[in-house]
Amino acid sequence: MKGIDRKFTLWALAWPIFIEVFLQTLLGTVDTLMVSEVSDDAVAVVGFSNQLFNALMTLFITVASGAGILIAQRIGAKREEDARTIAIMSVTVSGAIGLAISIVLYLWPQAIARVLQMPENLMPLADTYISIAGGGMVLTAIMAAFSTAIRNTGNTKGPMYVIIGVNIVHVVMNYGFIYGELGFPQWGLTGVAVSTLASRVIASAVLLVMFLYAFGRKIMLPEFLRFDRKLFGEVMRIGWPLGVNMSCWVFTQLLIYTFIAMLGAAELAARTYMNTLESFCFMLGYSFALALQIQVAHLFGASRTRDAYQATFRAMWIGLAVVTVNSLVIYLMGSWLLGQFTDDAEIVAIGVTLLGMNLLLQPGKMINMALGNALNAVGDTRFVMYISIGSMWAIAAGCSYVTGISLGWGLVGIYGCMITDEYLRGFLSWRRWRSRTWMTRQSHAPADGGAAANGAVQA
């Protein structure tokens, strides 16, 4: 694409994100394999708890994500001081929210697990894991704010290096705690939780140093007390609908996990293993979608709306091709892959069936990732929020209960509703982007008049 900073080209943004996601997914798979050595019940608890953590993360991701979009827009408009101030505020506010979440999870883990219908036989493990790993959510909040801000300056390599290094440390510590090797005590699932917490401490420290030098002028620690009400208002104007959208997804997923828990421990373990395999299906597509959001926000901030429009469809088609091929490969290898996680024939049989349905699910997800991220990048977050509220709650969650529980179709019924939800939202987002109504939105004026003229440049 002509006339764009090289670090904001799609490939320059996407490849570090892909390597980060790929290695993190690979290490996450190793992590799941290690936990499966403890027991299938331990795997179910970790998968269930992670859904809870993801749901609670939306409370601070709202701020970090809204800030990230504005950082890229402001840099595109040559207003780096505003971008710097927004980044500092996002870290401070996200950290405060994360601290409140940590306190609640540490003090009342069993009460939370019971509300979410955790099977009683899993409760002792849930108590340990949620209190320790959940108590470190403040670190997750800070890491998310640091990483989002750094990425949206165009530096996607930095967070990649940090996350890769820390996840390697996490796997090594898991090995030590689970098997009692390398001088570690044999703590089982408790050790996995401690390993998770320690890894977050290391990542937060490294990302802090990187964040202080992310902008043209070094950030000083006393500046974390700064607060610009006007700029924060802009963050929340974009961020709160984005937060509602993300909340709809994670809370409906958590609700679906609750439905699956009602089906039994085997179904819950199968879904947890499926989450790991599914991540390999769309990780490259996700990398392009996340890179696209940064690129579109940068182009929109520079008033290059035509380039933003074309870049979105280019990234979507690339992502669709990739996730389709990945889904097919995973399906063909399904029995063997699931057999690496568990010897339970029932869990393997359930997983293979779901991998077949995954061939339909992943392309719908890719359409949503590309078009939804593009709409968010130009500030059209309310539209994405509206369709999420309607489709996710009525179809993904509501119909899942009817088909999966009431009609007795189990996981097949639940997955069918998830597929329907993805394609409905994808179609509505496609129509919105094609209408170009978002082009009429007020973009931030660039620092010089030349940038606006670039809007006519074709890719």
Side-chain angles (χ1 to χ4, degrees), residues 91-277:
V91 172
T92 303
V93 176
S94 296
I97 297 172
L99 179 61
I101 295 172
S102 291
I103 293 172
V104 171
L105 291 175
Y106 180 76
L107 294 178
W108 299 289
Q110 279 204 27
I112 294 170
R114 283 196 171 89
V115 168
L116 298 174
Q117 302 297 311
M118 175 76 75
E120 194 63 33
N121 64 303
L122 302 182
M123 200 61 68
L125 291 174
D127 182 39
T128 299
Y129 191 79
I130 292 175
S131 63
I132 299 175
M137 285 292 285
V138 60
L139 299 173
T140 303
I142 294 172
M143 288 169 55
F146 283 152
S147 298
T148 301
I150 293 167
R151 284 194 189 98
N152 280 276
T153 65
N155 176 15
T156 54
K157 295 180 184 178
M160 172 192 73
Y161 294 135
V162 174
I163 298 303
I164 290 172
V166 168
N167 274 277
I168 292 174
V169 172
H170 177 52
V171 168
V172 171
M173 291 179 67
N174 274 2
Y175 174 79
F177 280 122
I178 291 173
Y179 299 102
E181 300 286 347
L182 306 176
F184 289 89
Q186 190 170 2
W187 285 356
L189 189 61
T190 300
V192 174
V194 171
S195 171
T196 299
L197 189 62
S199 300
R200 291 174 185 171
V201 171
I202 297 171
S204 298
V206 178
L207 286 170
L208 170 61
V209 175
M210 192 175 296
F211 178 76
L212 297 179
Y213 295 91
F215 297 88
R217 187 164 60 88
K218 180 185 175 182
I219 295 173
M220 308 303 292
L221 293 180
E223 292 186 82
F224 285 101
L225 300 177
R226 290 180 56 184
F227 190 83
D228 186 312
R229 182 175 297 180
K230 181 180 178 182
L231 286 177
F232 189 72
E234 292 189 40
V235 170
M236 294 310 297
R237 177 180 57 80
I238 286 182
W240 79 261
L242 193 61
V244 171
N245 175 35
M246 290 186 289
S247 296
C248 284
W249 189 83
V250 294
F251 279 106
T252 53
Q253 289 298 305
L254 183 59
L255 188 59
I256 289 170
Y257 248 83
T258 302
F259 298 157
I260 296 172
M262 295 168 65
L263 296 174
E267 286 81 359
L268 192 59
R271 173 57 180 161
T272 301
Y273 292 132
M274 274 296 299
N275 275 350
T276 301
L277 295 181

Side-chain angles (χ1 to χ4, degrees), residues 72-102:
Q73 287 184 1
R74 288 302 203 277
I75 291 176
K78 311 299 183 185
R79 297 168 62 178
E80 186 168 301
E81 277 300 309
D82 279 358
R84 184 176 177 276
T85 300
I86 290 168
I88 293 169
M89 288 191 298
S90 73
V91 172
T92 303
V93 176
S94 296
I97 297 172
L99 179 61
I101 295 172
S102 291

Side-chain angles (χ1 to χ4, degrees), residues 426-447:
F427 172 71
L428 294 174
S429 295
W430 175 79
R431 286 191 60 185
R432 182 71 167 187
W433 190 255
R434 288 275 296 179
S435 73
R436 308 192 190 200
T437 56
W438 51 270
M439 285 189 178
T440 63
R441 290 177 171 271
Q442 180 65 39
S443 177
H444 298 293

Side-chain angles (χ1 to χ4, degrees), residues 390-403:
S391 182
M392 290 183 187
W393 286 104
I395 298 175
C399 291
S400 284
Y401 180 81
V402 173
T403 59

Side-chain angles (χ1 to χ4, degrees), residues 297-344:
H298 184 265
L299 291 169
F300 186 71
S303 299
R304 298 179 58 179
T305 55
R306 295 182 185 178
D307 284 343
Y309 178 82
Q310 295 174 348
T312 296
F313 285 111
R314 183 183 303 113
M316 184 188 74
W317 288 116
I318 292 172
L320 278 172
V322 169
V323 300
T324 300
V325 172
N326 285 350
S327 298
L328 182 59
V329 171
I330 295 294
Y331 173 71
L332 295 175
M333 299 176 63
S335 295
W336 180 82
L337 290 171
L338 288 166
Q340 307 309 303
F341 292 98
T342 180
D343 295 326
D344 191 312

